[in-house]
Amino acid sequence: MKKPWSGRFKEKTAATVETFTESISFDFRLWPYDIQGSIAHVRMLGRKRVLKGDEVERIVSGLEEIASEIEAGRFRFKRGLEDIHMNIEAALIRKIGPLGGKLHTARSRNDQIALDLRLYLRAEAGECLKMMRRLQRVLLRLAERHVETVMPGYTHLQRAQPVTLGHHLLAYVEMLQRDRERLEDALKRINTLPLGACALAGTTLPIDRAYVARLLGFKRIAENSMDAVSDRDFAIEFLSFGAILMMHLSRLAEELVLWSTEEFSFLELPDAFATGSSIMPQKKNPDVAELIRGKSGRVYGALLSLLTTMKALPLTYNRDMQEDKIPLFDTVDTLKAVLTVLIEMLPALKFNRGRMRETAAGGYALATDLAEYLVSKGLPFRKAHEVAGGIVRYAVEKGVELQELTLEEYRRFSPLIEEDVFASITLEGALRLRRSRGGTSPEETRRQIKRLKKLI
Amino acid sequence: MKKPWSGRFKEKTAATVETFTESISFDFRLWPYDIQGSIAHVRMLGRKRVLKGDEVERIVSGLEEIASEIEAGRFRFKRGLEDIHMNIEAALIRKIGPLGGKLHTARSRNDQIALDLRLYLRAEAGECLKMMRRLQRVLLRLAERHVETVMPGYTHLQRAQPVTLGHHLLAYVEMLQRDRERLEDALKRINTLPLGACALAGTTLPIDRAYVARLLGFKRIAENSMDAVSDRDFAIEFLSFGAILMMHLSRLAEELVLWSTEEFSFLELPDAFATGSSIMPQKKNPDVAELIRGKSGRVYGALLSLLTTMKALPLTYNRDMQEDKIPLFDTVDTLKAVLTVLIEMLPALKFNRGRMRETAAGGYALATDLAEYLVSKGLPFRKAHEVAGGIVRYAVEKGVELQELTLEEYRRFSPLIEEDVFASITLEGALRLRRSRGGTSPEETRRQIKRLKKLI
Amino acid sequence: MKKPWSGRFKEKTAATVETFTESISFDFRLWPYDIQGSIAHVRMLGRKRVLKGDEVERIVSGLEEIASEIEAGRFRFKRGLEDIHMNIEAALIRKIGPLGGKLHTARSRNDQIALDLRLYLRAEAGECLKMMRRLQRVLLRLAERHVETVMPGYTHLQRAQPVTLGHHLLAYVEMLQRDRERLEDALKRINTLPLGACALAGTTLPIDRAYVARLLGFKRIAENSMDAVSDRDFAIEFLSFGAILMMHLSRLAEELVLWSTEEFSFLELPDAFATGSSIMPQKKNPDVAELIRGKSGRVYGALLSLLTTMKALPLTYNRDMQEDKIPLFDTVDTLKAVLTVLIEMLPALKFNRGRMRETAAGGYALATDLAEYLVSKGLPFRKAHEVAGGIVRYAVEKGVELQELTLEEYRRFSPLIEEDVFASITLEGALRLRRSRGGTSPEETRRQIKRLKKLI
Amino acid sequence: MKKPWSGRFKEKTAATVETFTESISFDFRLWPYDIQGSIAHVRMLGRKRVLKGDEVERIVSGLEEIASEIEAGRFRFKRGLEDIHMNIEAALIRKIGPLGGKLHTARSRNDQIALDLRLYLRAEAGECLKMMRRLQRVLLRLAERHVETVMPGYTHLQRAQPVTLGHHLLAYVEMLQRDRERLEDALKRINTLPLGACALAGTTLPIDRAYVARLLGFKRIAENSMDAVSDRDFAIEFLSFGAILMMHLSRLAEELVLWSTEEFSFLELPDAFATGSSIMPQKKNPDVAELIRGKSGRVYGALLSLLTTMKALPLTYNRDMQEDKIPLFDTVDTLKAVLTVLIEMLPALKFNRGRMRETAAGGYALATDLAEYLVSKGLPFRKAHEVAGGIVRYAVEKGVELQELTLEEYRRFSPLIEEDVFASITLEGALRLRRSRGGTSPEETRRQIKRLKKLI
């Protein structure tokens, strides 16, 4: 197959080199964006009289035909044609003759691939944003249902203070909110037109980049041609958004795994979202959550991969940059798969309220309330903490919970303690009274749900 | 030394554990933010009548005294007191008695460390922004001086088309512009108040988080207490900004290294910014650029490090998160050091204009102009490319440059070529005519400099 | 301060550059190795008559004096002298006059730093090996004590089959065994002499590298001078050993965290190895385990950092390589701290045998034994698995354990089941009978302990 | 499709879950190893009388039939059957009836996948070793041809001292030698039998792991069943070998890119190994080298990815571990592709000896020889370095090379300099005299080539 650049070459490319350097086996999925970009480019060339009106129309309809063929699965991508751009251009020339060769006027593969990738990523980022919003809604609905469901709040995976499941779930809504914001910020930079940079230096032909930007819906134009073809920030920024999102979801996944253990028993996985063991008949495994947790590695790896590839490359385009695609595509696919399965699975979870409540009451989780009770009686917090600590130690040794101690026993630790202490160390009290902004009280949680609903 | 949490403990902490878990040896540098945060917290407690007016004043002046002592180097941080918070609280109690124990009312180290880190990072991010702007200005000034300095533009490190040094340098100004934007976007999320989340669940005491936010200049409040103490996104986001910035600077550094070689000879390093060899007397090495390039590894490592640490942590605070500080501090220090040295070094560079120009003219870098000439004569670009490629091959074999061929020789390849071809394959023409938006022409470059000056 | 390479320079180094490029603030810790290496080098020069006998003696005793001064804390390292090599050489010249200038004969900082780092790492790797062996012994002793301690074995964090704690702990002994092997393999490559490579090309002076290798205990000699000064594989290989070791210890740490939860309650942390909360008086946190888990990020980061730094560096030495030290030093320190604290903490752990046993019996963990019982009665495994699965489902719905079903109920699922089924679904049976090689039976575990004791 | 573990499940798996958790779309390539392992397993069961002789034969021939079908492309892998193991088992049952269900006796997918992966990796590691040896031979042959080809040796990418191309290339042979050694060390641990660990605890059935090991050629047996199914060290160790190898090859690639520039002009890329530009007709790009350099990112990412995935997983098998395959497969494919293309490309390179020699002579690369000349006249090295530095500065200012100065000029700097100085500052002298072990002299290089030939 004749290369588009074979003019100055005498020997044919070695077969190994062809296999080693081709990208069509993975960049073929950029075809809708490649064609969309070419159509806009050609329309602009028409407007600037570089091409005649009928030339434009013939090229555009050729490209549209090719799009239909690909869509219908009737197009054969060829390795020898290296990449998506040359596959489409060659098909166009086959279809409409030498006129097809005018498509590449005032354009290079360097700015073209940057364009395709940006169009692709803009579309996929939009998908991700939608799915994240959907996941937030799923979490909000669950939270709403569990505004009064008591559970232990943990620090260091030790029971710390009672919270509500609703409040706990809202923490993830907040994380996703930041993730969405981050992606929207990144979109400003993704949504920038590189086309018109040509190989690296711009062109001597009259072009109208603003017009192309308008046609393709770009908000910004890359203002330096050398930067335009060298820049992969937009991809790295997406990958680092993805890494943080996966970090968040790995935390949620970890909790689902923990909560599904017999030891915690907060959660029962529905059969449809669990898998079994080929050897142990009793097993019901939280594979989905585990895989989500494990896939964090994949996305971290992708981020690092592209950062490494871009390190210390001199300007402008270098072929190393072809290695941007696989980590990017894989991350987009991973994020979408993970979001999809979570959106479906979360509503199906059954929480064991009885077990959660019982757990929240144990483990001296109300000791902080005891200390705050003492503060309200005038003791400095540090002192109050010490007294409450002593009481806990006494109760641990006696093998009873705080609620089971007598007033007399309490008063041995501090004369400030009175009958009303018992009212302040109940689960309901502990929750209801934590109505500071962002606190766990049902009242405050409801307020937060309302706020978030508006945001999402 | 008595631990602030020793109430329920009978045995003393093992010495190894004390050494292993302490953080004061590195978090001591948070002291200004810890004290600033405590003062705001105490003022709020006063306003809400949790503390009395004179209590507030005594605590505040105790804290201010401690600040002066630290500043003056008269304060001894103690390992046994674990961290910056406890070191300061213990000193306060020594100074003003048990009243100092009230400082920790309605606050936990969990929200306190999140506060300190955010205050620190907000301040340092501000510093970085300033330095990046300064670096942009340095580059702009250089670019201005070199708007007409011709040099070869490279793709694949092969001479591609002539560009100007000014245009080339502006590419880095654009990168820095995106970096600044990214950091400013991150700042929205960094600049969020976590205090008031307490341990994880909020508090039963009356607090006013909005007031604290106002006192400390926070634009947002973390709206979920569990999220507030679990969240390290702000640090990771800073690290990923840092990784991209270092990637950009590693590219600039690579170019400085290349340009300083005898082979390129585009650049002479001033003595003050080079170092020598302990064995080879003639050496003058671009160590500064090399170290910048090498330090990209350090910052990438820091990013990965914190992402790994945060992977799959269940809510809320876990001690693992103490490992956020060293990569964060190290990255802040690295970025500032790298920016500082670049700001100083770049203006001192001496470019070898003669050599750059001569290089730009060689290597058939005007072949694209020849092709564009043919397009202007009506040939489709693909065909024009092929013809120009053939001419290059012919010239390579003959061992001459394009300008040295005769018209007759040219016409052997295409009858469309006429006398005016020679005007279109001059360096000046090639540059002047690339005035497409973002292109390399001096005219367009000047326009871009003007635009950027306004932005910076 | 005059630079050792100032001969061809006219201007002084800029202060910022001095600060930016110096390494003495961290490489000072290489002093013992630097001096050890210099002494060997000088003795060799004496042997080859490059230096006279008394010259050698004067230099050696000068170096020894410097060593004593550093050891005694009486030596002032100076930033202006850049690095450890120049600090020591300058001190030597101050001490013994111009003769000191002969120390650097037939040597460059390029091979010298490679030497120092290798000597350092060889020593520290030896330390790590010793500590790992100690940790294995601690684990073996614990395992021995718990050869019969029943606990649930987990897959997917779901109870799978009963195992013994002894067997479980031996899994970590195996991991550490591989880690030690890996480090010993790496040591073959660490323990290689680079000295004599000089700057990059070897030397015209007569030197005897084999003699230096003998003096310094190196088993191999770097056989290509360009490679010798460019190679940092030995450091990367150590870091990747470290990353795998930390991965293993993060798994152990995760289990310690899980087992210390109230939900699992397998383990009680002794007070001396736990820490408390500044706000919640009841808390007893597994901070040590959490920090170990978190520090995996730090070591992963170090590995990536050096890999990134070394990427795409042309031969031979480049200043980027100075960035090898901080990640290497930090990793050595981290590994040693983590191993130290584990060696001390593990023997102090108190396991709750009753709780572990009770947990192992629940959760239908004997269902596999039921299936294997059916296989022994002639059913193909796949069918047996299905039958046992059906019985578990029935029991789950009825809310009873397998042992609580009647024979009649069993026979509803398969007529092959007889009275002896009850004997095969006991904890003791399940354990005792798993005596396949590497299996969990106490008998096999004892055999493994014996084998491991010999190995360690 | 009925799941092999459906016994206790009432609901069907959700379609999304099936898609999300399946691995057959990528683990299908393990089929030869899965079948090989099953055959050995079944033979062992026969030997231990768990299966009857004819049962064994029927199963084995069923498996062999399946193997032929897959090989011939006549086998349809089904997503609903999750993975390679279940696809093959189901086909077997279709083929030979319920007897096929006995294949899974005393085995679990947990030890089976570990087995398959180890067999796969052992085979692929063998391939890599062979290809690395081939690459070493290619380099040795090139080195042999260029034992006397002079070129500049670089430090900091500045000309440092003359070396030979042969010597330079041998540096890469040394790196590859270490890489091979590292992989051979890793192979000891890869080549370990996990089968027989079953789900995690071993089995109550009589099995003979040593026999299976013998059949499959394993040198070691995993001695702890819990470790056997939890361990992915072997994969990580391969990935870290791969990362270091790619780091080395990225350095070679960087040099090929540099040497192919017009500025260096050391190298001409043959047409068959270069590619052109779609826009710039004169371009001939070193794409192969660039892609190799870029692919270092991909392999680093894979290493990090698996390290992250394995972080903090409690024992034993967790589904996260399914994420080991994609990075492992991708790395194996990448390494093989990179080695293949290098083996083919390197012999085709044409070095420009004239240009290399000329470059080596310039840039004062003989200044070290001048200093060593002064040492031979009795000057301490430090002083000699200073004098030579002064001479270089003088020559630089005068715009001449060292060889062009007169004796009189030399003597202004040191009276020790005599007529014989000129003989010591020739390229030939500089090379020939550097015959220290590992040095660049042709004599020593020939000795090294001989040594390496024996090793490879």
Side-chain angles (χ1 to χ4, degrees), chain D residues 140-246:
Chain D
L140 268 182
R141 230 168 292 139
L142 262 184
E144 229 166 348
R145 207 183 308 154
H146 292 290
V147 164
E148 314 247 7
T149 306
V150 190
M151 69 179 287
Y154 293 84
T155 61
H156 309 259
L157 211 54
Q158 295 288 317
R159 296 179 200 161
Q161 293 179 350
V163 296
T164 68
L165 177 55
H167 184 222
H168 190 133
L169 292 170
L170 287 189
Y172 288 103
V173 180
E174 293 289 341
M175 294 180 215
L176 286 163
Q177 189 63 16
R178 284 195 299 278
D179 289 323
R180 273 179 50 207
E181 227 189 83
R182 246 185 303 271
L183 182 50
E184 264 154 17
D185 285 341
L187 255 175
K188 294 182 294 189
R189 290 173 283 275
I190 293 170
N191 199 9
T192 297
L193 176 79
L195 206 72
C198 301
L200 75 155
T203 179
T204 64
L205 299 166
I207 57 172
D208 183 346
R209 300 181 68 200
Y211 181 68
V212 176
R214 228 154 39 238
L215 287 180
L216 293 172
F218 282 109
K219 293 269 175 60
R220 298 179 179 188
I221 291 175
E223 299 281 4
N224 180 290
S225 61
M226 297 181 76
D227 177 50
V229 298
S230 307
D231 171 22
R232 288 298 181 271
D233 291 11
F234 62 95
I236 298 177
E237 202 177 343
F238 180 85
L239 295 176
S240 81
F241 142 79
I244 300 179
L245 171 59
M246 285 304 295

Side-chain angles (χ1 to χ4, degrees), chain D residues 53-336:
Chain D
D54 68 312
E55 288 181 330
V56 171
E57 292 321 312
R58 280 170 58 212
I59 293 177
V60 167
S61 67
L63 289 168
E64 282 167 350
E65 255 179 64
I66 292 169
S68 321
E69 285 169 22
I70 300 177
E71 204 146 28
R74 282 182 292 107
F75 191 91
R76 265 197 59 225
F77 294 106
K78 291 173 192 147
R79 290 217 163 195
L81 286 167
E82 299 188 354
D83 55 30
I84 184 62
H85 323 305
M86 287 305 143
N87 267 275
I88 287 175
E89 189 183 305
L92 184 68
I93 292 175
R94 266 195 323 271
K95 230 177 244 310
I96 66 169
L99 170 61
K102 293 199 173 176
L103 173 59
H104 215 57
T105 312
R107 193 173 68 167
S108 147
R109 288 188 289 183
N110 297 352
D111 56 344
Q112 196 178 350
I113 187 59
L115 175 68
D116 291 6
L117 261 184
R118 285 170 179 276
L119 286 170
Y120 160 80
L121 195 53
R122 186 178 71 183
E124 295 290 6
E127 281 305 297
C128 288
L129 282 169
K130 253 186 255 164
M131 294 171 90
M132 286 157 78
R133 209 175 301 124
R134 220 171 297 150
L135 180 55
Q136 284 184 306
R137 274 197 223 106
V138 163
L139 285 162
L140 268 182
R141 230 168 292 139
L142 262 184
E144 229 166 348
R145 207 183 308 154
H146 292 290
V147 164
E148 314 247 7
T149 306
V150 190
M151 69 179 287
Y154 293 84
T155 61
H156 309 259
L157 211 54
Q158 295 288 317
R159 296 179 200 161
Q161 293 179 350
V163 296
T164 68
L165 177 55
H167 184 222
H168 190 133
L169 292 170
L170 287 189
Y172 288 103
V173 180
E174 293 289 341
M175 294 180 215
L176 286 163
Q177 189 63 16
R178 284 195 299 278
D179 289 323
R180 273 179 50 207
E181 227 189 83
R182 246 185 303 271
L183 182 50
E184 264 154 17
D185 285 341
L187 255 175
K188 294 182 294 189
R189 290 173 283 275
I190 293 170
N191 199 9
T192 297
L193 176 79
L195 206 72
C198 301
L200 75 155
T203 179
T204 64
L205 299 166
I207 57 172
D208 183 346
R209 300 181 68 200
Y211 181 68
V212 176
R214 228 154 39 238
L215 287 180
L216 293 172
F218 282 109
K219 293 269 175 60
R220 298 179 179 188
I221 291 175
E223 299 281 4
N224 180 290
S225 61
M226 297 181 76
D227 177 50
V229 298
S230 307
D231 171 22
R232 288 298 181 271
D233 291 11
F234 62 95
I236 298 177
E237 202 177 343
F238 180 85
L239 295 176
S240 81
F241 142 79
I244 300 179
L245 171 59
M246 285 304 295
M247 182 268 282
H248 290 151
L249 300 181
S250 77
R251 302 181 76 170
L252 177 56
E254 172 80 6
E255 299 202 313
L256 295 178
V257 170
L258 287 174
W259 296 351
S260 309
T261 58
E262 296 247 8
E263 288 71 15
F264 277 79
S265 287
F266 287 2
L267 188 60
E268 204 190 340
L269 280 180
D271 282 6
F273 292 91
T275 60
S277 157
S278 68
I279 191 166
M280 295 163 292
Q282 87 283 10
K283 290 298 294 295
K284 214 166 123 179
N285 297 326
D287 295 67
V288 170
E290 290 170 275
L291 277 172
I292 292 172
R293 188 175 60 185
K295 280 176 195 292
S296 60
R298 192 137 153 197
V299 176
Y300 288 13
L303 167 60
L304 170 65
S305 168
L306 190 50
L307 277 170
T308 303
T309 295
M310 295 301 295
K311 179 215 161 192
L313 291 186
L315 301 189
T316 56
Y317 182 82
N318 300 281
R319 190 66 175 263
D320 318 52
M321 289 157 73
Q322 178 169 307
E323 290 290 316
D324 57 355
K325 276 164 220 70
I326 288 188
L328 190 61
F329 294 167
D330 191 65
T331 297
V332 164
D333 295 345
T334 300
L335 298 184
K336 284 164 69 182

Side-chain angles (χ1 to χ4, degrees), chain A residues 14 33 99 139 149 160 226 246 289 299 359 373 379 395 399 422 448 456:
Chain A
Y33 309 105
L99 168 62
L139 284 162
T149 305
M226 297 182 77
M246 284 305 294
V299 177
T359 310
Y373 168 85
L379 222 52
F422 295 104
Q448 292 293 348
I456 296 163

Side-chain angles (χ1 to χ4, degrees), chain C residues 40-41 44 47-48 106 111 118 192-198 201-203 205-218 220-229, chain D residues 167 435-439 444 447-448:
Chain C
H41 181 62
M44 181 276 290
R47 187 181 156 101
K48 300 298 290 184
D111 57 344
R118 285 171 178 276
T192 297
L193 175 79
L195 207 72
C198 302
T203 178
L205 300 166
I207 58 172
D208 184 345
R209 299 182 68 200
Y211 180 68
V212 175
R214 230 157 36 241
L215 286 181
L216 293 172
F218 282 108
R220 299 179 179 186
I221 291 175
E223 298 282 3
N224 180 291
S225 62
M226 296 181 78
D227 177 49
V229 297
Chain D
H167 184 222
R435 59 193 157 214
S436 55
R437 183 159 166 190
E444 173 61 11
R447 207 182 62 79
Q448 292 293 349

Side-chain angles (χ1 to χ4, degrees), chain B residues 154-156 158-160 254 260 262-263 277-278 280 282-283 290 304 308-309 311 364 368 382 385, chain D residues 154-156 158-160 254 260 263 277-278 280 282-283 290 304 308-309 311 363-364 368 382 385:
Chain B
Y154 293 84
T155 62
H156 309 259
Q158 296 287 318
R159 296 180 200 159
E254 172 80 6
S260 309
E262 296 247 8
E263 287 72 15
S277 157
S278 67
M280 295 163 293
Q282 87 283 11
K283 291 297 294 295
E290 291 171 274
L304 170 64
T308 303
T309 295
K311 179 214 160 192
Y364 309 96
T368 309
R382 265 297 154 255
H385 182 284
Chain D
Y154 293 84
T155 61
H156 309 259
Q158 295 288 317
R159 296 179 200 161
E254 172 80 6
S260 309
E263 288 71 15
S277 157
S278 68
M280 295 163 292
Q282 87 283 10
K283 290 298 294 295
E290 290 170 275
L304 170 65
T308 303
T309 295
K311 179 215 161 192
Y364 309 95
T368 310
R382 267 298 155 252
H385 182 285

